[in-house]
Amino acid sequence: MATERPTPIGPATPDLAILESRVYRGPNIWSYEQAIHLIVELGGLEDYPTNTIDGFTDQLLTHLPGLSGHTCSRGVPGGFVERLREGTWMGHVAEHVSLQLQKEAGHDLRRGKTRQVEGKRGVYNVVYGYIDERVGVAAGQLAVRLVNHLVQPEPGFDFATELEQFLARAERTAFGPSTSAILEEAVSRDIPWIRLNEHSLIQLGQGVHAQRIRATMTSMTGALAVDIASDKALTGRLLASAGLPVPRSESVRSVEAAVSAADRIGYPCVLKPLDGNHGRGVCLDLQDADAVRAAWVVAEAESRRGICIVESLLIGRDYRCLIVGGKMAAIAERVPAHVVGDGTHTISELLEITNSDPRRGVGHEKVLTKIKLDSAAMDLLAKQGFELDSVAPEGTMVKLALTGNMSTGGISVDRTFDAHPDNVEIAEEAARMIGLDVAGIDFICPDIASPVRETGGAICEVNAAPGFRMHTHPTVGEPQYIAKPVIDLLFPPGAPSRVPIIAVTGTNGKTTTARMIAHIFKGLGRKVGMTSTDGVVIDERLVIKADASGPKSARMVLMNPRVDFAVMEVARGGILREGLGYDRNDVAVVTNVAPDHLGMRGINTLKQLADVKAVVVEAVPRDGFAVLNADDDLVRAMRRRCSGDIVWFSLQPPGTKVRDFIEERCRRGGRAVVLEPTDKGDMIVILHGRRRMQLAWTHLLPSTFGGAAKMNVANAMAAAGAAFAAGAPLHDIRQGLRTFTTSYYLSPGRMNLLDVNNIEVLVDYCHNPPGMRMLGDFVESYSAQKAGQAELGKASRIGMIGAAGDRRDDDIRELGAIAAEHFDVVVVREDDRLRGRAPGVTAELVAEGVRARMAEGSARCRQVEIVLEELAAVRHCMSRANPGDLVILCVDKHATVLGELENLTHQAQAGAHSGEAAGDPDMDPQEMQDAAQTSGNEAAQVSEDQAAAPVEV
C-alpha cells in the first residue's frame, strides 16, 4: 500500500537524478540474472506522484506507446498505465522507461524493480535487466532525462532526436544476425558465453572446454583455409583440380592486363577484386574493353593487394549453399536489390516504400539491408531504360544491383529442400577442398534443382565466415536453424561446456578454505584455477598478484584454456559492485557471517550482510550443493535459498541442539561433516544418510597445529564437505587435507608459523574483530599445548595488529580490545591504504580499544605502542622479543613482511659467524647466539628509529 504524501505546494521541478550506477554481470542481491542498478534521488518529486502532474501520463505514452503493454505488478497488459493514472513515483517510471527504451533497440526485457532505500526519503534503488550493458546504462540515463523533461520541459531537448541517437548507439554494439543465432542456440543448450571485445568475438563454454567464434568463424576455422578462400584465383584453381565446375578466370594487376584477359576469356565477362567480400567491387556483364577499363577503377579500389580477377560471365540464378562440418545445412536463392513497379509510384517512391520495411536496417544490424542508390545503381537503371522519376509498369522488376548479396539490399528465398543431390555433393566437396568448417558456396546456375553439370553453371566463389541471415530470416520460405550444426560442431552431443565451479564466501576463513579445496583437486590431477585475495592462481602458479576475489578475476579464470576446475573466493565487495562473475556455481561454501565491512555500500546490519553472502547459495542449481556452517544461525537460515542439496558442517559435539538438527536431516538422506570426540582426539566424520565415514583426526592435520587452530578445523571440514559434494573420493580428500600445510608456499599470509632466531613468529592476515577472536583462541590453545615446556612460563606474547580505515570506529576499537585479552604487548600499525582517514587516526582508534580493555582490568596486555609503518613495526616487535617468546604479526603485505623476517634471520646468522671468526675462547655457543640476537635487535632498533619511533601509550 502506498505511503501517504503531503499535498504538493507549488509546481513540480525536474529533480530526478542518478546518484550512483552499478552494472551487475551475474547473479546479485537484486536478481538471479545480470542487471543495471541505479540509485536515484527524487528531490522535490518525492511529493509529486504521476497523477499530480497534469498530462504527464499522456505525454509519456505519446513518446513511448509500448509502455501500454507493460504489466507491472498487476500482471496484465496495461497494468503499468493503471499505476501511472493512480499515481506512482518517478523512480518506478524511470525503471519502466529504461526497459522500454531497450525494447525499442530490439532487447526484449521485462525484469525490473524499484525499492526505496531504507531510512532515506526520496532515494530509490531502480533495478532492471539488460543484454548489452552500454545500452542498458544509456537507457537509464535517457529515461531520467525524459522524466525530467515531462515534469518541466528542458530547453533544447528533443526526445525523437535523442531516441534516434540512442538507437544508433545500440546498433553499433549489437550482435549481427549470425552471431545472435549462434548465441541463441548456445543459450538453449545451457552453454555459457562471454563477450571478449566490443564486436563479435565470443567465447562459448568455460576453461578447457571453451571455443571461440567471431561472427561465423570458429575456433576450428583454419587460418590457411581462410587465406585460400580470400584468394579467388587460388580457390578457382583448387576447385578446378578437383573436377568441380568453375568459370574460366585469370588474375591481373593492371587495367591493360584486365582487358587482355577479357579478350582471351571472351565477352561478356566479370571483373572483381581478388580478396573482396560482401559483393563489393564486383562488376558484372562487361560487354567490351571500355567497360572493363571503367570497371577496373571500382574493382581495384576494393582489393587490398591491388589484384583483380577476370572471369567468364555465368548466366543464371544466384544461390548460396551453406556447408557446416562438410555437410549441407541450408541453401538460399539470392535476388538482387530491386523494386517492383505498380504503375502508380515512381521508382524513387517505390524505393522509399521498400526501405521503410522494418526488417531493413543499416549494414547487418537487421535481417534485411536498406537499398542504397549509388552511381552503379543509377547506371543500372539507365541500362533498363528508367530514371528515378520513372513510373515502371505494374509487375515490372526494376533491378538496383547486379549481385544478389544481402549486404547490398538483396532478398533471399529458401531453397534448402529443392537442391539436386549432385549439386549438394559439389558444394560439400568444394568446402572440403578449401578446408573450411563453415563455408558459403556461391553457385550461378539456371536452377539449383537440376544438375549444374548438365544445365550449365558453376561455383563462382567460396566464402569464409558466410552470413546466416539469408537462411535464418529468408524473405520467402521457411527459416533454417543453421546455428544447430555449428554448435554441434563445437560441442558434439554429450560434450561438456562448463567446468565445475566451487564458490567460497564468508567473513573469515574463505581464503584458507578455497586453498584447501584447490589442493585436494590438484591431487586428483585437475588443473585448478583459483581466485583469492592474494591473486589469480592457475595450476598452482600465481599469474596475477592482486586482490582477486571479485567477478573480473572469476571471468579471467573461466577464460583460461588450461582450467578444468575452478575454485572462486567470493568477497562481499565484488558481489555488491558487480555481482558474481558467472551465472551459477556447482557448489557454494559459506564459512560464517560476522560483523565486518558494516556501514559500507548500504550494508548496515548482519542480516543485510548475510543477504549478500547468500547470493552464492542462490546461484546453486538444482543438481548442486551448498556447504553451510550449521553453527552460525544466519548461515543455517540460507538453506531456504538453495535450489540444490545441503551439506552441513559443525564443530558442535553430539547431544547439542545443532548436532541433533544435523543428525535428523542426515537420517532423511542428507549430508554433513561433523566432529566425533574420542579418547584419542576429535575425528572428522562425513555423514551421508545413515553412512558414517571417518575422514581424519584433527590433530593429525598439519593446518590445525595439533587441533589448536579450531578455525582451521572448521575450514578443513568445509573443504571436505565441498570436495565430497563435487565428487572427490574419500581417500583423496583425506590425502589432500593431510598434505595441506600453513607454510608460506601453500598458504601465504594465513597462519604461517616461523622460527626466527629461536623466536616463534606467527604471520596472519587477521584484520577484523571476529578473526582476532579466533586468532586469540588459537594463541591460548597453542600456548596450552606447550605448557609443559619450562621456558613457556616466562615467555611473552607480542602482537602487531592493524585495522582497515574504512571500518566503523567501534569495530576498530573492538579489534584492539580483543587483542588486549591475549597479548602482553600490542604494537599498532597502519595499512599503506588509509581508506579515507588521516595518518594515525586508525591506529589511535585501535589503541583506544586496547586502553579501554586494560582499564577494565581484564586484559593480559600491559603495554601498547604505535608504530605506523608496517616493516618498522615488524622490526620493533622482533627487537622486543627474546628467545622462546611468541610474536604474532597481523600483516597487510605478507610477502614484504616474510622478506624482512628472512633478512633478520640472515643478520643473526652473520653475527654468529663473526663471533666464530673472532675466535673468542671465553664465549660459549649460547653466548654467541645471544650476542647475535642483541646485534640484530640493535640494528633493527636503529633502522626502526629512522623509520618511525614507537609511541608508548
Side-chain angles (χ1 to χ4, degrees):
M1 200 169 172
T3 303
E4 292 186 5
R5 295 294 198 275
T7 302
I9 301 175
T13 54
D15 295 337
L16 182 62
I18 299 175
L19 302 180
E20 184 180 350
S21 61
R22 303 173 191 168
V23 179
Y24 299 126
R25 297 177 174 87
N28 54 81
I29 59 174
W30 295 101
S31 170
Y32 293 122
E33 301 179 24
Q34 58 188 24
I36 304 288
H37 178 195
L38 305 180
I39 302 178
V40 302
E41 184 175 21
L42 271 59
L45 289 175
E46 176 70 0
D47 297 323
Y48 289 87
T50 53
N51 62 339
T52 65
I53 302 175
D54 291 339
F56 180 90
T57 299
D58 293 335
Q59 291 184 68
L60 180 62
L61 294 176
T62 299
H63 287 303
L64 292 171
L67 288 171
S68 59
H70 288 212
T71 60
C72 199
S73 58
R74 303 295 166 85
V76 295
F80 178 60
V81 176
E82 292 180 13
R83 294 288 306 277
L84 286 170
R85 300 200 183 281
E86 292 171 1
T88 189
W89 279 266
M90 296 305 171
H92 184 208
V93 177
E95 169 209 326
H96 280 269
V97 172
S98 300
L99 290 170
Q100 184 57 37
L101 286 171
Q102 292 184 85
K103 190 171 184 178
E104 298 289 328
H107 302 174
D108 189 10
L109 295 158
R110 305 176 189 184
R111 297 177 287 106
K113 63 177 68 174
T114 300
R115 301 288 185 270
Q116 187 170 8
V117 176
E118 185 177 349
K120 292 187 178 181
R121 185 177 186 274
V123 181
Y124 291 81
N125 293 302
V126 177
V127 183
Y128 55 90
Y130 73 90
I131 294 176
D132 184 313
E133 66 179 69
R134 285 163 295 186
V135 175
V137 171
Q141 294 169 345
L142 181 56
V144 168
R145 289 191 66 191
L146 176 60
V147 169
N148 282 330
H149 175 71
L150 296 180
V151 171
Q152 186 178 103
E154 175 187 335
F157 179 84
D158 179 64
F159 179 70
T161 302
E162 296 289 338
L163 179 61
E164 185 177 350
Q165 293 175 354
F166 168 78
L167 295 178
R169 187 186 306 117
E171 288 166 359
R172 286 196 298 271
T173 60
F175 291 127
S178 301
T179 305
S180 296
I182 295 175
L183 290 182
E184 287 172 9
E185 178 66 22
V187 170
S188 73
R189 301 192 191 190
D190 194 33
I191 298 174
W193 60 274
I194 302 172
R195 190 170 190 170
L196 301 179
N197 66 2
E198 296 181 358
H199 305 290
S200 298
L201 183 60
I202 306 295
Q203 174 179 306
L204 300 174
Q206 298 169 340
V208 71
H209 307 302
Q211 301 284 350
R212 291 178 180 172
I213 63 168
R214 186 170 64 189
T216 60
M217 292 180 67
T218 76
S219 299
M220 297 183 177
T221 304
L224 187 59
V226 174
D227 282 345
I228 293 173
S230 299
D231 187 331
K232 293 178 171 54
L234 176 58
T235 298
R237 291 198 298 273
L238 287 175
L239 297 183
S241 69
L244 301 178
V246 292
R248 292 182 58 195
S249 65
E250 292 185 29
S251 59
V252 294
R253 294 178 177 270
S254 67
V255 61
E256 292 306 321
V259 171
S260 299
D263 290 339
R264 287 190 295 273
I265 292 173
Y267 297 99
C269 65
V270 176
L271 183 65
K272 58 185 180 182
L274 177 75
D275 48 8
N277 53 35
H278 298 301
R280 290 188 287 265
V282 177
C283 301
L284 304 176
D285 197 18
L286 306 179
Q287 297 290 339
D288 51 36
D290 290 339
V292 172
R293 291 188 177 92
W296 174 264
V297 178
V298 177
E300 196 268 343
E302 295 293 339
S303 176
R304 293 185 293 273
R305 307 181 197 176
I307 305 175
C308 295
I309 299 292
V310 179
E311 64 182 27
S312 56
L313 178 66
L314 299 173
I315 304 298
R317 297 177 179 178
D318 186 355
Y319 297 95
R320 163 65 62 84
C321 301
L322 181 69
I323 309 299
V324 179
K327 298 294 182 181
M328 189 273 290
I331 298 177
E333 179 182 346
R334 301 185 297 181
V335 181
H338 67 280
V339 295
V340 179
D342 60 2
T344 303
H345 295 91
T346 66
I347 292 174
S348 178
E349 292 170 340
L350 291 173
L351 178 61
E352 185 176 348
I353 293 170
T354 301
N355 280 339
S356 65
D357 186 336
R359 295 176 297 172
R360 290 189 181 269
V362 178
H364 292 268
E365 70 192 21
K366 293 186 178 179
V367 297
L368 294 173
T369 301
K370 290 185 177 181
I371 303 172
K372 290 183 179 179
L373 270 181
D374 52 18
S375 58
M378 297 301 294
D379 292 343
L380 184 58
L381 270 178
K383 287 182 180 180
Q384 298 172 85
F386 296 109
E387 295 181 352
L388 285 178
D389 56 358
S390 301
V391 176
E394 185 175 357
T396 301
M397 178 179 175
V398 180
K399 291 185 178 181
L400 297 171
L402 285 173
T403 61
N405 296 77
M406 301 289 287
S407 57
T408 58
I411 64 172
S412 64
V413 179
D414 180 61
R415 299 292 298 275
T416 301
F417 301 106
D418 299 335
H420 192 278
D422 287 353
N423 297 338
V424 170
E425 183 180 344
I426 288 172
E428 292 174 347
E429 184 67 13
R432 285 192 287 268
M433 281 299 299
I434 304 304
L436 290 169
D437 59 332
V438 181
I441 312 299
D442 290 345
F443 266 103
I444 301 292
C445 62
D447 189 355
I448 197 70
S450 302
V452 295
R453 285 192 170 99
E454 297 177 7
T455 61
I459 298 172
C460 63
E461 199 164 324
V462 176
N463 299 274
F468 283 179
R469 61 176 173 164
M470 70 183 73
H471 308 293
T472 58
H473 297 84
T475 315
V476 179
E478 294 294 322
Q480 301 300 315
Y481 298 98
I482 53 177
K484 180 183 182 303
V486 176
I487 296 297
D488 285 341
L489 190 67
L490 299 175
F491 300 94
S497 63
R498 295 175 178 268
V499 299
I501 298 176
I502 297 180
V504 184
T505 191
T507 303
N508 297 102
K510 53 184 178 290
T511 301
T512 300
T513 303
R515 287 171 175 165
M516 287 178 171
I517 296 169
H519 184 71
I520 290 170
F521 281 95
K522 173 62 179 175
L524 282 164
R526 308 301 289 267
K527 303 292 184 183
V528 181
M530 183 180 71
T531 64
S532 72
T533 50
D534 287 329
V536 176
V537 178
I538 304 296
D539 196 21
E540 292 193 336
R541 181 181 294 275
L542 183 66
V543 295
I544 293 180
K545 186 178 180 181
D547 185 348
S549 55
K552 290 182 180 178
S553 303
R555 288 192 294 272
M556 194 177 301
V557 166
L558 297 177
M559 288 165 55
N560 191 290
R562 288 194 294 153
V563 170
D564 61 9
F565 198 95
V567 180
M568 311 293 193
E569 178 183 339
V570 181
R572 164 212 59 89
I575 296 175
L576 290 173
R577 188 172 58 252
E578 294 184 59
L580 300 181
Y582 46 82
D583 57 345
R584 69 171 185 250
N585 36 246
D586 302 275
V587 180
V589 181
V590 186
T591 58
N592 48 59
V593 177
D596 192 22
H597 297 95
L598 297 182
M600 301 168 62
R601 286 187 174 267
I603 304 302
N604 301 308
T605 67
L606 269 180
K607 176 64 170 59
Q608 291 174 326
L609 183 60
D611 290 339
V612 176
K613 304 288 187 184
V615 169
V616 297
V617 177
E618 294 171 343
V620 172
R622 291 186 180 276
D623 59 350
F625 295 87
V627 181
L628 303 180
N629 184 354
D631 299 338
D632 189 310
D633 293 341
L634 290 172
V635 177
R636 192 166 63 249
M638 293 180 190
R639 67 187 185 277
R640 301 183 181 91
R641 301 188 179 196
C642 183
S643 300
D645 294 330
I646 305 296
V647 179
W648 302 102
F649 70 95
S650 170
L651 296 174
Q652 296 298 312
T656 59
K657 184 177 179 180
V658 171
R659 187 60 177 271
D660 291 343
F661 168 87
I662 291 175
E663 297 279 359
E664 190 270 333
R665 275 156 178 74
C666 287
R667 281 195 292 271
R668 299 188 215 164
R671 307 184 188 202
V673 184
V674 297
L675 284 183
E676 295 284 0
T678 69
D679 294 340
K680 297 180 180 179
D682 291 338
M683 170 68 75
I684 299 177
V685 177
I686 295 179
L687 308 180
H688 187 189
R690 297 185 179 274
R691 295 175 59 201
R692 308 178 78 87
M693 297 164 278
Q694 293 185 344
L695 186 64
W697 301 105
T698 58
H699 64 275
L700 295 182
L701 301 183
S703 61
T704 68
F705 295 87
K710 290 296 183 183
M711 65 283 207
N712 273 358
V713 173
N715 293 338
M717 295 170 71
F724 185 65
L730 192 66
H731 64 274
D732 288 303
I733 300 173
R734 181 183 298 117
Q735 180 66 14
L737 294 179
R738 283 180 174 176
T739 57
F740 181 84
T741 69
T742 58
S743 68
Y744 187 72
Y745 302 100
L746 280 180
S747 187
R750 302 300 190 279
M751 299 292 289
N752 305 141
L753 187 62
L754 313 169
D755 186 304
V756 180
N757 308 326
N758 291 329
I759 301 169
E760 285 193 300
V761 181
L762 182 72
V763 179
D764 193 71
Y765 189 64
C766 175
H767 61 282
N768 58 35
M772 183 59 68
R773 189 168 287 109
M774 294 177 186
L775 181 62
D777 292 342
F778 164 72
V779 170
E780 300 297 339
S781 299
Y782 183 71
S783 299
Q785 280 184 354
K786 296 196 170 184
Q789 299 179 14
E791 68 272 12
L792 193 67
K794 57 183 179 180
S796 295
R797 304 175 192 168
I798 302 171
M800 181 189 78
I801 64 174
D806 55 0
R807 304 306 196 266
R808 300 180 303 183
D809 290 359
D810 289 345
D811 294 336
I812 296 174
R813 292 190 186 96
E814 185 183 0
L815 179 75
I818 297 171
E821 297 174 2
H822 303 285
F823 305 143
D824 298 297
V825 178
V826 175
V827 178
V828 184
R829 60 157 186 85
E830 277 190 342
D831 294 349
D832 287 345
R833 288 180 58 208
L834 299 177
R835 306 192 188 205
R837 295 186 187 264
V841 173
T842 303
E844 181 58 35
L845 288 171
V846 176
E848 287 179 11
V850 177
R851 287 200 304 269
R853 191 54 51 90
M854 291 170 64
E856 295 173 2
S858 60
R860 180 187 178 103
C861 182
R862 61 178 185 269
Q863 187 174 0
V864 57
E865 297 174 339
I866 297 177
V867 182
L868 297 182
E869 198 271 322
E870 185 169 62
L871 287 185
V874 170
R875 289 190 286 265
H876 182 67
C877 290
M878 297 303 297
S879 71
R880 295 204 53 151
N882 296 309
D885 287 349
L886 178 61
V887 177
I888 299 93
L889 303 178
C890 299
V891 302
D892 178 36
K893 297 181 178 177
H894 54 75
T896 307
V897 170
L898 264 292
E900 179 62 26
L901 294 175
E902 190 172 341
N903 290 337
L904 292 177
T905 302
H906 291 164
Q907 289 175 12
Q909 291 173 349
H913 291 317
S914 298
E916 291 174 4
D920 187 345
D922 298 326
M923 183 177 291
D924 62 27
Q926 183 60 47
E927 289 174 329
M928 291 170 60
Q929 188 172 4
D930 293 343
Q933 177 68 36
T934 303
S935 173
N937 290 346
E938 289 174 351
Q941 185 64 46
V942 170
S943 177
E944 173 260 322
D945 288 341
Q946 294 172 348
V951 180
E952 186 171 324
V953 183

